[in-house]
Amino acid sequence: MLVYLIKFSACLAILLLFYKLLLERERIHHFKRFYLIGALLFSLLVPTLVLTEQVAVYPTPHTDLVDQTTTSVQEVPSVPQKLESDILDISPILWIIYFLGIIFFGITFVKNLFQIFQRIKNNPKERKAPYTRVLLHQDLPPHTFFNYIFLNRAKLQSNEIPKEVLLHEETHARQKHSVDVLIIELVQVVFWFHPLLYLIRKSIKLNHEFLADSAVLKKGVASSTYQNTLLSYLSSDSEKKYRPLLANAINYSSIKKRFTIMKRQTSRKAIVLRSIAVLPLAVILLLGFSKTKLIKQEINLIDKTSKEVLSSSTVSYQYEGKKEFILHVNANRIELNGNILALSEFAKAVDQLTKDWEETDYTSIPVRANFSNSTLAFIKKVETEFGKTHFSKANEGMKIFPADYQKTFIQKGASREQMREYNALAKKYNHMFAEKDNIHIKREDMERLRHIYSLMSDKQKDDAEPFPDFPSMPEPPMPPTALEEVKMEAQIRIEKEVLEEQETKVEKLEKMEKQEKVMKEQLAPTPPSPPTPKSPLEHVMEMAEKDALFYYKNKRISSDEAIDILKKDMDLSLDIKKTNDELPVVRIDTHF
């Protein structure tokens, strides 16, 4: 459970970070909607996925040794019973707390759902296909649950609800935003303790507002008009009156972000790049946070086309340890721990690799030997060179490859077509070597001759053309000498010094530019300070001169009384309304 939570949390955190940095401020709201729900479901499912990987394994005589060694490494000393009894197991306490949380949040979820259904049942409804308006007696802000739009009855009948707000709520209903809300709320009941779920729920609901705003603006409503409508219709205490858990509602706290997004323009190139970037991210997370199960499968080492060339086999001795011995033999190429070696260098390289190893390391290191497309003769040579090493001798003549791999070679002879091909090529190169003129050897011809010759029976070899006497392959280039290494190190040091000197010059230029910028800022004239705003008392005195009407807590008062009240309490709020035909009206109260 703990491993699942860690993987789920890490996966969701990465996807949320990607959304916050690259997607949230862009006007691709439909894509963002599916991204957020997909990120939640993806993070829930990925840790439970199991990716299987088949590993070809050939059984070796060392199997018993491997099992014994692995068992000995994984043994855990037993804990005395007295000490074990003193250890407090808190897992039952944690499980009790977890289930209590599920019960609490589950009841809260059902309670909110029940309240919505009660509100639908107990209030009059007005059918306006495909939506149903629920006319509320309570003074609640408009909100939506599936196709039900909840509106205050008095305000709707008096046309106090702007048409933009109605269009906003109809968008929530049409696009089924309640489905997203129900999904995140159900997940949050199970993972009630997880802080990232609260963040993604906030992002999902905010994106719903982006979608509704975008739909309103696409209807031809000017963005400035729509913004003024939202500001005049909403107040900071509208959310305090009602915070719907399972419904979509216009809220005051997200206004600033919504206004910013309304003005933002996103290019098609940016949309395409950000959308495509999600794919490699998903693949990386899938491979990184899913489970991997290795399935060992015993394979047949005999190739279908060649009875004397091992097609592919891997022998793995897997232990706990920091040292490793990884050998790959492909055709006539030897690679030890990533270093390509000639056959004559192999034994020396093994001794160099294992010279500092203790005898206990010989049975605790991971040894992996792989051979593919190699002839029996070359494998024998590799095995012979390995037998000369201190590593092999210390392990009582340990073999790299399966001890019975020779039994897999079945000699049935070459076919007639192969014999004709062999005789033609052998005759060609024997004649070429005999004439000693214009010798030109093709690598594919040489490998083909060796392959067919390895398939031939003894009688076929006696009747066929003699195998051409090909010259030996040139040895690989030797590593650089000590003098060359010194030259290379000197060259690297000189380049490093030149680079450091260039970086120092760049740093000095940057420092001079910063100093010059600071001096210019200091010498620049100081802009005049803005005028001090008028106090509420000054506003009242100014309105008194204009014969304004004054009200204190909805009670009519004179201008002198208004001035006295503000002199006693300067923290009072003013609401001044001016019209062309009537006198200004000034209302004084603790807050509006």
Side-chain angles (χ1 to χ4, degrees):
M1 183 65 178
L2 180 60
V3 175
Y4 173 85
L5 285 176
I6 292 173
K7 289 184 176 181
F8 164 69
S9 303
C11 187
L12 185 59
I14 293 171
L15 291 172
L16 265 178
L17 182 62
F18 181 87
Y19 175 81
K20 290 290 183 181
L21 294 178
L22 297 179
L23 298 178
E24 187 179 51
R25 297 179 180 85
E26 304 302 328
R27 295 189 64 177
I28 45 176
H29 308 313
H30 289 285
F31 176 81
K32 291 190 296 182
R33 179 188 180 185
F34 293 106
Y35 174 89
L36 288 169
I37 293 297
L40 177 61
L41 300 179
F42 182 86
S43 302
L44 288 170
L45 293 177
V46 162
T48 65
L49 297 179
V50 179
L51 303 180
T52 58
E53 179 181 350
Q54 291 188 349
V55 179
V57 177
Y58 189 88
T60 73
H62 305 288
T63 304
D64 295 336
L65 175 63
V66 173
D67 293 339
Q68 294 173 5
T69 309
T70 307
T71 304
S72 63
V73 171
Q74 295 178 348
E75 286 180 355
V76 179
S78 60
V79 180
Q81 292 183 357
K82 184 177 180 180
L83 180 60
E84 189 175 7
S85 62
D86 293 338
I87 298 175
L88 177 63
D89 186 9
I90 64 170
S91 58
I93 301 174
L94 295 177
W95 280 111
I96 291 172
I97 295 173
Y98 171 71
F99 284 113
L100 287 175
I102 287 183
I103 293 171
F104 173 80
F105 285 93
I107 292 173
T108 304
F109 174 82
V110 174
K111 179 183 175 182
N112 283 286
L113 198 61
F114 179 77
Q115 287 179 351
I116 290 178
F117 288 139
Q118 285 293 106
R119 196 170 286 125
I120 295 172
K121 180 181 178 182
N122 298 332
N123 288 279
K125 290 172 281 294
E126 177 182 299
R127 179 69 176 171
K128 193 170 183 179
Y131 316 112
T132 300
R133 293 178 177 178
V134 181
L135 307 180
L136 304 176
H137 298 290
Q138 304 99 312
D139 186 14
L140 299 177
H143 52 282
T144 305
F145 184 74
F146 285 95
N147 285 341
Y148 292 96
I149 301 176
F150 299 85
L151 302 168
N152 180 263
R153 183 176 185 178
K155 289 185 178 179
L156 180 65
Q157 292 176 350
S158 60
N159 294 325
E160 293 182 24
I161 302 178
K163 63 178 182 179
E164 292 85 0
V165 174
L166 295 175
L167 182 58
H168 181 102
E169 294 303 320
E170 288 174 0
T171 303
H172 285 311
R174 185 176 64 256
Q175 297 182 1
K176 306 297 182 186
H177 293 167
S178 297
V179 175
D180 304 354
V181 176
L182 281 179
I183 291 174
I184 182 63
E185 293 296 339
L186 286 172
V187 174
Q188 204 162 12
V189 169
V190 181
F191 298 97
W192 54 267
F193 55 89
H194 209 296
L196 289 179
L197 291 179
Y198 294 88
L199 293 178
I200 196 170
R201 182 182 72 172
K202 184 178 178 181
S203 296
I204 288 172
K205 289 192 172 183
L206 179 59
N207 191 62
H208 289 167
E209 299 305 316
F210 293 158
L211 285 164
D213 292 339
S214 179
V216 173
L217 296 177
K218 285 180 180 179
K219 291 292 184 178
V221 179
S223 60
S224 58
T225 303
Y226 181 52
Q227 290 172 7
N228 291 332
T229 301
L230 291 178
L231 286 175
S232 62
Y233 188 73
L234 293 176
S235 62
S236 58
D237 63 339
S238 61
E239 284 187 302
K240 298 178 183 178
K241 294 180 181 178
Y242 179 62
R243 297 189 181 200
L245 184 63
L246 302 178
N248 292 93
I250 299 178
N251 61 81
Y252 183 82
S253 60
S254 62
I255 287 292
K256 185 176 180 181
K257 279 189 177 181
R258 290 163 61 184
F259 284 4
T260 304
I261 296 299
M262 288 180 197
K263 300 176 183 177
R264 189 174 181 86
Q265 296 294 332
T266 303
S267 64
R268 289 185 176 271
K269 184 178 179 181
I271 294 173
V272 172
L273 291 177
R274 284 166 170 78
S275 303
I276 293 176
V278 176
L279 296 178
L281 177 64
V283 173
I284 292 171
L285 293 178
L286 177 63
L287 297 177
F289 293 107
S290 60
K291 298 178 183 178
T292 302
K293 183 179 180 181
L294 295 178
I295 300 177
K296 294 183 180 180
Q297 182 180 10
E298 185 174 341
I299 64 168
N300 184 6
L301 303 183
I302 306 173
D303 185 64
K304 295 180 181 178
T305 59
S306 171
K307 302 304 178 184
E308 198 173 73
V309 177
L310 297 182
S311 61
S312 177
S313 179
T314 302
V315 182
S316 299
Y317 305 90
Q318 298 181 358
Y319 301 93
E320 298 291 334
K322 294 183 179 179
K323 301 180 177 66
E324 61 181 11
F325 184 107
I326 303 175
L327 174 66
H328 296 281
V329 180
N330 189 347
N332 293 340
R333 170 175 167 169
I334 301 173
E335 182 176 339
L336 178 62
N337 285 9
N339 298 318
I340 300 175
L341 305 169
L343 181 63
S344 58
E345 299 173 326
F346 177 62
K348 184 179 179 181
V350 173
D351 285 334
Q352 182 69 21
L353 176 66
T354 60
K355 67 178 181 179
D356 297 328
W357 293 2
E358 303 291 340
E359 289 188 1
T360 55
D361 292 330
Y362 295 149
T363 55
S364 64
I365 60 164
V367 178
R368 297 181 181 87
N370 171 278
F371 53 95
S372 58
N373 303 319
S374 301
T375 62
L376 175 62
F378 188 76
I379 291 176
K380 285 181 178 179
K381 291 178 182 179
V382 175
E383 200 69 87
T384 301
E385 291 296 317
F386 183 75
K388 300 176 184 178
T389 64
H390 178 67
F391 181 78
S392 176
K393 293 175 183 177
N395 282 272
E396 300 178 354
M398 172 185 174
K399 300 290 185 181
I400 312 177
F401 304 111
D404 58 345
Y405 66 89
Q406 299 184 42
K407 297 179 183 178
T408 62
F409 295 97
I410 302 175
Q411 187 63 275
K412 292 186 178 179
S415 64
R416 291 183 180 179
E417 292 78 8
Q418 289 173 330
M419 288 299 301
R420 282 196 292 269
E421 183 182 1
Y422 169 83
N423 286 327
L425 289 173
K427 187 175 182 180
K428 168 187 171 183
Y429 283 103
N430 284 330
H431 178 74
M432 186 185 298
F433 295 151
E435 295 293 331
K436 296 182 180 179
D437 183 30
N438 194 21
I439 296 177
H440 180 70
I441 303 172
K442 292 184 178 181
R443 185 182 184 88
E444 56 269 22
D445 289 348
M446 183 174 63
E447 291 178 352
R448 185 62 180 165
L449 281 168
R450 287 177 176 171
H451 172 64
I452 298 175
Y453 190 78
S454 65
L455 301 178
M456 294 163 56
S457 64
D458 293 337
K459 186 177 184 308
Q460 287 176 327
K461 290 178 181 178
D462 293 337
D463 297 339
E465 287 281 336
F467 190 85
D469 186 17
F470 289 107
S472 58
M473 296 294 293
E475 294 289 337
M478 298 297 292
T481 62
L483 180 60
E484 291 174 345
E485 291 180 355
V486 171
K487 289 181 179 179
M488 290 174 65
E489 290 177 357
Q491 181 67 23
I492 292 172
R493 187 172 63 254
I494 293 171
E495 292 177 356
K496 185 177 180 181
E497 290 176 354
V498 171
L499 183 61
E500 289 177 351
E501 185 178 353
Q502 292 177 350
E503 290 178 350
T504 304
K505 290 180 179 179
V506 171
E507 289 176 356
K508 288 181 178 179
L509 288 173
E510 291 178 350
K511 187 176 181 181
M512 291 175 63
E513 289 177 356
K514 288 181 180 179
Q515 291 177 350
E516 185 178 354
K517 185 177 179 180
V518 171
M519 291 178 64
K520 287 181 178 179
E521 291 177 353
Q522 291 176 349
L523 294 174
T526 305
S529 57
T532 305
K534 295 179 181 179
S535 65
L537 181 59
E538 291 176 338
H539 277 293
V540 168
M541 295 175 68
E542 183 179 340
M543 290 294 106
E545 294 177 357
K546 296 180 180 180
D547 297 329
L549 301 178
F550 292 89
Y551 291 87
Y552 176 62
K553 294 186 177 180
N554 296 326
K555 182 180 178 183
R556 177 70 181 275
I557 60 174
S558 65
S559 60
D560 294 334
E561 289 175 333
I563 294 171
D564 292 337
I565 289 171
L566 281 175
K567 285 181 179 180
K568 294 176 182 179
D569 189 356
M570 294 294 291
D571 294 330
L572 294 173
S573 300
L574 299 181
D575 181 20
I576 301 174
K577 293 184 178 179
K578 300 178 182 180
T579 59
N580 295 329
D581 301 329
E582 299 176 0
L583 295 176
V585 178
V586 180
R587 297 183 182 274
I588 306 172
D589 208 332
T590 53
H591 65 276
F592 292 98

